[in-house]
Amino acid sequence: MWRYAIKPSLSSTVGLILNNLFAVTKIKTCVKHLQLLKSLNIRVKLDSKINKYWFNMLNKYVRVLPKLGEFSQLSKYTGGQRLVKSISTCPVLQERSNYSPSYYYKMNSKHLSKDSLQPPTTEKIRIYSMRFCPFAQRALLVLIAKGIPHDVVNCNLKEKPTWLKELNPLEKVPIVELPGGKVIYESLIVADYFDEMFEARRLRAVDHVQKAIDRIWIDRFGKAIANFYKVLFAIPKDDQETIQKYLPRFATGLKDLDKELSERKTKFFGGDDLPGMLDYMIWPWIERYPVFKAVIPAQYSDDVQKLTNDVSTINRWTADMMQDFAVKEFILPIEVHKEFIQSLLSGSPNYNILDAKL
């Protein structure tokens, strides 16, 4: 039983919770009451003496740690001094406490790595991403286009956070954590889920046949994506055989897409007004195509330039897509894409090119 009577005053409730917070035998009881702390915009952290299971459980019930100095106000409550001392002396928390809540949830924020703590959930949809991942971009474009409130947590995919595997055994992004704790992943599944569950601006075709045709083209473009990466990763190895084999296959996939859009006689694959699901699902690789042209070996530059000239409809579509508000919200300069891709090909990807400076 909770041994104190909970008073109506929120501040007195905080005092009572903090008074018991560091007694391991009372942690389980405290958990039931920590929901009351949500409205205070504080995050309770425990020192290494507290069992990790309860540490993680408590994190589910409270919000993000504000700057360390803001904790001084807690010292006037019973038990608050001990909480402040625990935070002040814990190295992991000292680093984390220097950031505001938005540090974790911004699109361009720092990528969390193997030693990072898992940020607490909010009441929004949470998407675990990697800022330069085109597959995660698919999901985020849908969220932005449909105006769905969400948080973004970027993850280092070379030194993955230890908790990432608990969310997705494949340890790939995007991973979507829904309010209530359920988790879904895989970019196309996630995109379809968002479009089905949120009615605002339907992205898939209303006509069932057209919807199926669009999905066929997404799958067909998937083969072009595979060829794109085979060429890309053959470049640092100077693997001429692989480049010669898969560059024409990538070109064929892009030309087929160009022909399809030309035959539709529409501004976008989804129609004349706004991009649809097919547009958003192929866009991330078209955004990166200029980088592909920039890093390809010189002896293939004429082939790539010819491909660019042969897909005039896609070129026009690209210019139109760059005016779409969802694309503009997420797009990165070519120089940034190039810097990341070059770091990726070197074997040391620089995930934090766009670190938020907080």
Side-chain angles (χ1 to χ4, degrees), residues 15 42 49 53 63 77 90 122 137 146 177 179 197 201 215 219-220 242 278 311 315 332 339 352:
I42 71 168
K49 296 179 182 179
Y53 172 78
R63 302 185 67 177
Y77 301 121
C90 179
T122 67
Q137 185 176 356
K146 294 176 72 70
E177 188 173 10
M197 295 302 295
R201 188 185 166 188
R215 186 54 187 261
D219 288 347
R220 286 185 63 175
T242 297
L278 175 54
V311 291
N315 293 337
L332 290 171
E339 183 179 350
N352 292 323

mmCIF file of all heavy atoms in Angstrom, residues 15 42 49 53 63 77 90 122 137 146 177 179 197 201 215 219-220 242 278 311 315 332 339 352:
data_model
loop_
_atom_site.group_PDB
_atom_site.id
_atom_site.type_symbol
_atom_site.label_atom_id
_atom_site.label_comp_id
_atom_site.label_asym_id
_atom_site.label_seq_id
_atom_site.Cartn_x
_atom_site.Cartn_y
_atom_site.Cartn_z
ATOM 1 N N GLY A 15 6.296 15.524 -3.833
ATOM 2 C CA GLY A 15 7.105 15.324 -2.645
ATOM 3 C C GLY A 15 6.976 13.918 -2.102
ATOM 4 O O GLY A 15 7.966 13.292 -1.732
ATOM 5 N N ILE A 42 9.032 16.820 -16.166
ATOM 6 C CA ILE A 42 10.296 16.384 -15.583
ATOM 7 C C ILE A 42 10.495 14.911 -15.890
ATOM 8 O O ILE A 42 9.570 14.207 -16.264
ATOM 9 C CB ILE A 42 10.339 16.585 -14.039
ATOM 10 C CG1 ILE A 42 9.402 15.585 -13.346
ATOM 11 C CG2 ILE A 42 10.028 17.996 -13.651
ATOM 12 C CD1 ILE A 42 9.609 15.542 -11.864
ATOM 13 N N LYS A 49 22.259 2.062 -8.302
ATOM 14 C CA LYS A 49 21.856 1.147 -7.233
ATOM 15 C C LYS A 49 20.461 0.586 -7.470
ATOM 16 O O LYS A 49 20.070 -0.404 -6.869
ATOM 17 C CB LYS A 49 21.895 1.869 -5.884
ATOM 18 C CG LYS A 49 23.291 2.313 -5.470
ATOM 19 C CD LYS A 49 23.247 3.037 -4.132
ATOM 20 C CE LYS A 49 24.642 3.518 -3.729
ATOM 21 N NZ LYS A 49 24.609 4.247 -2.450
ATOM 22 N N TYR A 53 15.471 -3.107 -14.214
ATOM 23 C CA TYR A 53 14.092 -3.377 -14.631
ATOM 24 C C TYR A 53 13.172 -2.244 -14.202
ATOM 25 O O TYR A 53 12.369 -1.736 -14.983
ATOM 26 C CB TYR A 53 13.616 -4.692 -14.018
ATOM 27 C CG TYR A 53 12.140 -4.946 -14.234
ATOM 28 C CD1 TYR A 53 11.673 -5.411 -15.462
ATOM 29 C CD2 TYR A 53 11.214 -4.708 -13.219
ATOM 30 C CE1 TYR A 53 10.331 -5.643 -15.657
ATOM 31 C CE2 TYR A 53 9.867 -4.933 -13.408
ATOM 32 C CZ TYR A 53 9.422 -5.401 -14.629
ATOM 33 O OH TYR A 53 8.091 -5.620 -14.835
ATOM 34 N N ARG A 63 8.247 12.131 -18.221
ATOM 35 C CA ARG A 63 8.630 12.816 -19.443
ATOM 36 C C ARG A 63 10.117 13.129 -19.493
ATOM 37 O O ARG A 63 10.896 12.650 -18.675
ATOM 38 C CB ARG A 63 7.786 14.077 -19.594
ATOM 39 C CG ARG A 63 6.295 13.767 -19.615
ATOM 40 C CD ARG A 63 5.478 14.999 -19.880
ATOM 41 N NE ARG A 63 5.721 15.489 -21.233
ATOM 42 C CZ ARG A 63 5.085 16.524 -21.739
ATOM 43 N NH1 ARG A 63 4.202 17.176 -21.006
ATOM 44 N NH2 ARG A 63 5.337 16.926 -22.950
ATOM 45 N N TYR A 77 11.303 19.890 -2.020
ATOM 46 C CA TYR A 77 10.383 18.827 -1.667
ATOM 47 C C TYR A 77 11.103 17.735 -0.877
ATOM 48 O O TYR A 77 12.298 17.522 -1.034
ATOM 49 C CB TYR A 77 9.759 18.207 -2.920
ATOM 50 C CG TYR A 77 9.009 19.187 -3.767
ATOM 51 C CD1 TYR A 77 9.370 19.415 -5.086
ATOM 52 C CD2 TYR A 77 7.936 19.906 -3.235
ATOM 53 C CE1 TYR A 77 8.681 20.327 -5.869
ATOM 54 C CE2 TYR A 77 7.250 20.813 -4.000
ATOM 55 C CZ TYR A 77 7.622 21.022 -5.320
ATOM 56 O OH TYR A 77 6.937 21.919 -6.076
ATOM 57 N N CYS A 90 25.553 11.168 -11.748
ATOM 58 C CA CYS A 90 25.474 10.062 -12.703
ATOM 59 C C CYS A 90 26.020 10.534 -14.052
ATOM 60 O O CYS A 90 25.437 11.411 -14.678
ATOM 61 C CB CYS A 90 24.039 9.589 -12.880
ATOM 62 S SG CYS A 90 23.878 8.246 -14.081
ATOM 63 N N THR A 122 6.166 9.650 -25.706
ATOM 64 C CA THR A 122 5.211 10.727 -25.445
ATOM 65 C C THR A 122 3.855 10.203 -25.881
ATOM 66 O O THR A 122 3.700 9.021 -26.157
ATOM 67 C CB THR A 122 5.593 11.989 -26.235
ATOM 68 O OG1 THR A 122 5.426 11.726 -27.636
ATOM 69 C CG2 THR A 122 7.038 12.405 -25.953
ATOM 70 N N GLN A 137 12.619 7.645 -44.708
ATOM 71 C CA GLN A 137 12.068 8.843 -45.332
ATOM 72 C C GLN A 137 10.690 8.568 -45.908
ATOM 73 O O GLN A 137 9.799 9.428 -45.880
ATOM 74 C CB GLN A 137 13.010 9.350 -46.424
ATOM 75 C CG GLN A 137 12.568 10.670 -47.054
ATOM 76 C CD GLN A 137 13.568 11.190 -48.066
ATOM 77 O OE1 GLN A 137 14.640 10.615 -48.257
ATOM 78 N NE2 GLN A 137 13.224 12.274 -48.733
ATOM 79 N N LYS A 146 0.274 13.841 -44.437
ATOM 80 C CA LYS A 146 -1.048 13.684 -43.836
ATOM 81 C C LYS A 146 -1.223 14.521 -42.570
ATOM 82 O O LYS A 146 -2.293 14.514 -41.963
ATOM 83 C CB LYS A 146 -1.300 12.199 -43.537
ATOM 84 C CG LYS A 146 -1.398 11.334 -44.792
ATOM 85 C CD LYS A 146 -1.546 9.866 -44.477
ATOM 86 C CE LYS A 146 -2.921 9.541 -43.934
ATOM 87 N NZ LYS A 146 -3.996 9.647 -44.931
ATOM 88 N N GLU A 177 6.545 3.217 -33.076
ATOM 89 C CA GLU A 177 5.982 2.852 -31.774
ATOM 90 C C GLU A 177 4.714 3.669 -31.585
ATOM 91 O O GLU A 177 4.742 4.898 -31.579
ATOM 92 C CB GLU A 177 6.979 3.129 -30.658
ATOM 93 C CG GLU A 177 6.537 2.601 -29.310
ATOM 94 C CD GLU A 177 7.622 2.738 -28.251
ATOM 95 O OE1 GLU A 177 8.647 3.412 -28.514
ATOM 96 O OE2 GLU A 177 7.446 2.170 -27.156
ATOM 97 N N PRO A 179 1.117 4.928 -29.678
ATOM 98 C CA PRO A 179 0.646 5.163 -28.317
ATOM 99 C C PRO A 179 0.026 3.871 -27.757
ATOM 100 O O PRO A 179 -0.784 3.223 -28.414
ATOM 101 C CB PRO A 179 -0.418 6.252 -28.504
ATOM 102 C CG PRO A 179 -0.003 6.975 -29.738
ATOM 103 C CD PRO A 179 0.576 5.913 -30.634
ATOM 104 N N MET A 197 -5.213 4.349 -41.354
ATOM 105 C CA MET A 197 -5.692 4.733 -40.025
ATOM 106 C C MET A 197 -6.020 6.216 -39.899
ATOM 107 O O MET A 197 -6.770 6.607 -39.004
ATOM 108 C CB MET A 197 -4.650 4.350 -38.966
ATOM 109 C CG MET A 197 -4.434 2.858 -38.829
ATOM 110 S SD MET A 197 -5.952 1.953 -38.422
ATOM 111 C CE MET A 197 -6.298 2.622 -36.785
ATOM 112 N N ARG A 201 -6.285 13.402 -46.189
ATOM 113 C CA ARG A 201 -5.549 13.284 -47.448
ATOM 114 C C ARG A 201 -5.143 11.847 -47.774
ATOM 115 O O ARG A 201 -4.005 11.435 -47.549
ATOM 116 C CB ARG A 201 -4.309 14.187 -47.424
ATOM 117 C CG ARG A 201 -3.621 14.254 -48.797
ATOM 118 C CD ARG A 201 -2.341 15.035 -48.781
ATOM 119 N NE ARG A 201 -1.596 14.780 -49.997
ATOM 120 C CZ ARG A 201 -0.372 15.186 -50.232
ATOM 121 N NH1 ARG A 201 0.273 15.894 -49.321
ATOM 122 N NH2 ARG A 201 0.230 14.898 -51.358
ATOM 123 N N ARG A 215 0.883 -0.287 -56.606
ATOM 124 C CA ARG A 215 1.688 -1.164 -55.753
ATOM 125 C C ARG A 215 2.645 -2.015 -56.593
ATOM 126 O O ARG A 215 3.785 -2.281 -56.187
ATOM 127 C CB ARG A 215 0.783 -2.053 -54.897
ATOM 128 C CG ARG A 215 1.537 -2.890 -53.870
ATOM 129 C CD ARG A 215 2.425 -1.991 -53.000
ATOM 130 N NE ARG A 215 3.265 -2.745 -52.122
ATOM 131 C CZ ARG A 215 3.014 -2.982 -50.834
ATOM 132 N NH1 ARG A 215 1.893 -2.514 -50.300
ATOM 133 N NH2 ARG A 215 3.830 -3.665 -50.104
ATOM 134 N N ASP A 219 6.753 -2.116 -56.245
ATOM 135 C CA ASP A 219 7.542 -3.350 -56.200
ATOM 136 C C ASP A 219 8.570 -3.391 -57.334
ATOM 137 O O ASP A 219 9.720 -3.808 -57.138
ATOM 138 C CB ASP A 219 6.628 -4.567 -56.284
ATOM 139 C CG ASP A 219 5.833 -4.788 -55.005
ATOM 140 O OD1 ASP A 219 6.177 -4.157 -53.985
ATOM 141 O OD2 ASP A 219 4.868 -5.567 -55.029
ATOM 142 N N ARG A 220 8.165 -2.951 -58.525
ATOM 143 C CA ARG A 220 9.097 -2.937 -59.652
ATOM 144 C C ARG A 220 10.254 -1.979 -59.396
ATOM 145 O O ARG A 220 11.404 -2.271 -59.720
ATOM 146 C CB ARG A 220 8.360 -2.546 -60.945
ATOM 147 C CG ARG A 220 7.480 -3.636 -61.503
ATOM 148 C CD ARG A 220 6.871 -3.237 -62.832
ATOM 149 N NE ARG A 220 7.868 -3.008 -63.876
ATOM 150 C CZ ARG A 220 7.557 -2.747 -65.152
ATOM 151 N NH1 ARG A 220 6.273 -2.688 -65.530
ATOM 152 N NH2 ARG A 220 8.524 -2.543 -66.048
ATOM 153 N N THR A 242 30.755 -5.442 -61.568
ATOM 154 C CA THR A 242 29.453 -5.196 -60.941
ATOM 155 C C THR A 242 28.807 -3.928 -61.491
ATOM 156 O O THR A 242 27.604 -3.907 -61.785
ATOM 157 C CB THR A 242 29.614 -5.083 -59.415
ATOM 158 O OG1 THR A 242 30.090 -6.327 -58.906
ATOM 159 C CG2 THR A 242 28.290 -4.742 -58.741
ATOM 160 N N LEU A 278 2.510 6.303 -54.497
ATOM 161 C CA LEU A 278 3.597 5.886 -55.387
ATOM 162 C C LEU A 278 4.656 6.978 -55.497
ATOM 163 O O LEU A 278 5.863 6.695 -55.452
ATOM 164 C CB LEU A 278 3.029 5.537 -56.770
ATOM 165 C CG LEU A 278 4.040 5.202 -57.869
ATOM 166 C CD1 LEU A 278 4.999 4.098 -57.428
ATOM 167 C CD2 LEU A 278 3.307 4.809 -59.154
ATOM 168 N N VAL A 311 15.202 10.409 -69.472
ATOM 169 C CA VAL A 311 14.039 10.364 -68.567
ATOM 170 C C VAL A 311 13.502 11.781 -68.351
ATOM 171 O O VAL A 311 13.397 12.254 -67.224
ATOM 172 C CB VAL A 311 14.389 9.667 -67.228
ATOM 173 C CG1 VAL A 311 14.621 8.179 -67.455
ATOM 174 C CG2 VAL A 311 15.616 10.299 -66.571
ATOM 175 N N ASN A 315 12.390 13.912 -64.995
ATOM 176 C CA ASN A 315 13.048 15.183 -64.674
ATOM 177 C C ASN A 315 12.012 16.265 -64.363
ATOM 178 O O ASN A 315 12.182 17.046 -63.416
ATOM 179 C CB ASN A 315 13.943 15.630 -65.837
ATOM 180 C CG ASN A 315 15.129 14.706 -66.049
ATOM 181 O OD1 ASN A 315 15.552 14.000 -65.128
ATOM 182 N ND2 ASN A 315 15.659 14.688 -67.258
ATOM 183 N N LEU A 332 17.117 17.262 -48.233
ATOM 184 C CA LEU A 332 18.443 17.725 -47.832
ATOM 185 C C LEU A 332 19.206 18.215 -49.057
ATOM 186 O O LEU A 332 18.990 17.720 -50.166
ATOM 187 C CB LEU A 332 19.233 16.586 -47.176
ATOM 188 C CG LEU A 332 18.757 16.123 -45.805
ATOM 189 C CD1 LEU A 332 19.508 14.858 -45.405
ATOM 190 C CD2 LEU A 332 18.955 17.207 -44.771
ATOM 191 N N GLU A 339 28.068 14.114 -48.852
ATOM 192 C CA GLU A 339 28.981 13.938 -47.728
ATOM 193 C C GLU A 339 28.653 12.665 -46.950
ATOM 194 O O GLU A 339 29.547 11.902 -46.569
ATOM 195 C CB GLU A 339 28.925 15.149 -46.798
ATOM 196 C CG GLU A 339 29.905 15.075 -45.639
ATOM 197 C CD GLU A 339 29.869 16.296 -44.739
ATOM 198 O OE1 GLU A 339 29.207 17.297 -45.113
ATOM 199 O OE2 GLU A 339 30.496 16.252 -43.655
ATOM 200 N N ASN A 352 25.930 12.118 -37.843
ATOM 201 C CA ASN A 352 25.609 13.359 -37.145
ATOM 202 C C ASN A 352 26.047 14.621 -37.889
ATOM 203 O O ASN A 352 26.396 15.628 -37.283
ATOM 204 C CB ASN A 352 26.202 13.326 -35.736
ATOM 205 C CG ASN A 352 25.501 12.279 -34.878
ATOM 206 O OD1 ASN A 352 24.299 12.091 -34.991
ATOM 207 N ND2 ASN A 352 26.265 11.579 -34.066
#
